[in-house]
Amino acid sequence: MSIEESVLYIVATPLGNLGDISDRARAVLGAVGLIAAEDTRVTQRLLSHLGLKARYLSLHEHNETARVPVILQALAEGQSVALVSDAGTPLISDPGFRLVRAVREAGWRVSPIPGPSAVIAALSVSGLPTDRFVFEGFLPARGAKRRTYLQALVRETGTLVFYESSHRIADCLEDMAQAFGTARRAVVARELTKHFEQVVSAPLGDLVAWIAVNEDHRRGEFVVMVEGATDAVPDDTSGISAAHVIAVLAAALPTRQAADLAARITGGSRQALYRAAQQAKQEREGE
């Protein structure tokens, strides 16, 4: 396969089953001058499986800013570059946003090589409504912030989709059951496309018990999906001012995150709420 010069290709790779690599992804990885990989060890195993040799460098959340000039220089020299994550589609809760924005601003083309995505794969087998969904990625690691974040999503009507790690999945489900209620239907997808793949659908209260009863249920990588709210969910925010909402959220979350959630709850302007969150944080720091 011949590829264009000076193009950044965003290449989706298998979630687990290496048979899911597309012919086009294989061809691009074998033809580019440089591969930017989230973890070079993972990418090396994939390349070895495909029988490919390539020049690659690491690009992860801790060095992305430093890697951008290196990749821009490669593009300027006429090389094409492929960006890959450890699994699935790059940039979906993975590094790459800064790179893509910088490459586009520099005038170079960015082209997707589509393929596996844990979000879409999980939704397709969940049995939950998929006409509208909200991808929230990884929840805050700390319990108090996680519970505050979930509480702000109680009235969201679209299917909620989260990523979670093995060492937080039990606490995550308990906090979801507390926020959304034990009867709210949810789905846990574990180790998608791998040998021990499981997709379990049940009310949140039952999923809390399921995850606790067997240590193996807490192994691997997780996508958690929660059915959206119905009209039966009480409007707990009636009579609560936007100022109160943003003050509570700003105390527990980063400013932008607090403003986004407050806008969802109140229907107010994100920009105005962002300024209010900044002011609230400044006032607390001055106390």
Side-chain angles (χ1 to χ4, degrees), residues 37-45 58-60 84-86:
E38 183 181 7
D39 187 326
T40 56
R41 297 165 298 181
V42 173
T43 299
Q44 178 56 54
R45 287 196 293 271
S58 65
L59 186 147
H60 46 71
V84 297
S85 61
D86 289 350

Side-chain angles (χ1 to χ4, degrees), residues 35-40 56-71 83-84 95-96 98-99:
I35 297 174
E38 183 181 7
D39 187 326
T40 56
Y56 51 83
L57 53 73
S58 65
L59 186 147
H60 46 71
E61 61 178 328
H62 302 297
N63 73 353
E64 182 176 356
T65 300
R67 291 303 196 201
V68 167
V70 177
I71 293 172
L83 174 67
V84 297
R98 294 180 183 86
L99 172 64

Side-chain angles (χ1 to χ4, degrees), residues 142-171:
R142 294 184 179 276
K145 289 187 176 182
R146 182 170 58 241
R147 288 187 287 273
T148 299
Y149 195 100
L150 289 170
Q151 194 60 47
L153 297 173
V154 166
R155 290 190 55 80
E156 174 58 58
T157 57
T159 296
L160 296 162
V161 187
F162 306 89
Y163 284 164
E164 195 49 271
S165 62
S166 58
H167 60 281
R168 287 199 297 265
I169 184 63
D171 291 341

Side-chain angles (χ1 to χ4, degrees), residues 122-130 159 185 187 199 201 225 227:
L123 278 168
S124 71
V125 297
S126 69
L128 295 177
T130 56
T159 296
R185 181 156 292 279
V187 178
V199 180
S201 175
M225 294 153 286
E227 190 167 25

Side-chain angles (χ1 to χ4, degrees), residues 97-218:
F97 160 71
R98 294 180 183 86
L99 172 64
V100 169
R101 182 169 63 179
V103 169
R104 291 180 62 82
E105 289 177 349
W108 305 114
R109 193 161 77 86
V110 181
S111 179
I113 308 297
S117 168
V119 177
I120 303 305
L123 278 168
S124 71
V125 297
S126 69
L128 295 177
T130 56
D131 56 327
R132 180 174 174 270
F133 63 90
V134 181
F135 177 59
E136 293 289 343
F138 285 96
L139 287 164
R142 294 184 179 276
K145 289 187 176 182
R146 182 170 58 241
R147 288 187 287 273
T148 299
Y149 195 100
L150 289 170
Q151 194 60 47
L153 297 173
V154 166
R155 290 190 55 80
E156 174 58 58
T157 57
T159 296
L160 296 162
V161 187
F162 306 89
Y163 284 164
E164 195 49 271
S165 62
S166 58
H167 60 281
R168 287 199 297 265
I169 184 63
D171 291 341
C172 170
L173 289 174
E174 288 182 6
D175 288 344
M176 287 180 174
Q178 180 179 340
F180 303 129
T182 56
R184 181 85 73 94
R185 181 156 292 279
V187 178
V188 172
R190 184 179 80 89
E191 294 290 85
L192 286 171
T193 79
K194 301 175 185 178
H195 180 70
F196 294 106
E197 174 183 280
Q198 282 184 297
V199 180
V200 181
S201 175
L204 276 167
D206 292 351
L207 287 174
V208 170
W210 175 81
I211 207 74
V213 75
N214 189 328
E215 184 179 351
D216 288 340
H217 294 169
R218 301 189 292 278

Side-chain angles (χ1 to χ4, degrees), residues 256-275:
R256 187 171 299 281
Q257 201 173 67
D260 287 344
L261 289 175
R264 290 189 195 179
I265 296 170
T266 66
S269 162
R270 279 183 173 79
Q271 290 183 339
L273 289 165
Y274 181 82
R275 290 193 295 270

